[in-house]
Amino acid sequence: MTDLEQTFDADRFGTPRAKTVSWYDPMPTADLGRTLSGRELLEAIRDERIPAPPIAKLMGLCIEEIGEGRVVFTCVPDESLYNPIGMVHGGLVCTLADTVIGCSVHTLLEPGVGYTSIDLTVSYLRPVHADGTQLRATGLVTKPGRRVAFANAEIVDGAGKVVATASGSVLIMDARTDS
């Protein structure tokens, strides 16, 4: 009998593990965000004056640095993010890249101006493991624009090795003038 022919044996896998995630209603933050510049909103989240969005809580994303057209986020992946081949799923790295690309653009936006991702290209360079090592993702705007902006991301591990790079474009949406 092969391993695939056996029924699930709970003793083989040990005790189930759990992860509890708590978050606040995201809509008051989004409403407040329409009255603040992008940089002011990110600073308020970083400084815990307003709650972080649920995705940040779910994946453990933290804002470390905010500059003009530049942000740095960190996270420490845990094993709840593992894929079936024993490493952190690339979706976490992709989410980090998308986040820092979008937020780097957000630092340049005025109140009432939002954004959404148009495209994202991620190059995975080495595996990520849940070994307590912090990932550090830097987003940098390469070309700001009135309707479309472009930015790059670099994600490094605790040893400073690049685990992924990304580039993306972001659609700028001005609620004050767009209908």
Side-chain angles (χ1 to χ4, degrees), residues 19 58 77-83 130:
K19 179 177 180 177
L58 179 65
D78 63 48
E79 66 181 12
S80 72
L81 299 167
Y82 265 29
N83 61 25

Side-chain angles (χ1 to χ4, degrees), residues 129-148:
H129 298 282
D131 58 6
T133 301
Q134 182 183 73
L135 296 178
R136 183 175 176 86
T138 303
L140 183 63
V141 174
T142 56
K143 184 183 181 307
R146 200 171 44 82
R147 297 297 292 168
V148 176

Side-chain angles (χ1 to χ4, degrees), residues 149-174:
F150 298 87
N152 290 330
E154 181 178 78
I155 297 102
V156 300
D157 64 16
K161 293 182 178 178
V162 179
V163 299
T165 59
S167 61
S169 60
V170 176
L171 177 67
I172 309 298
M173 301 177 300
D174 191 339

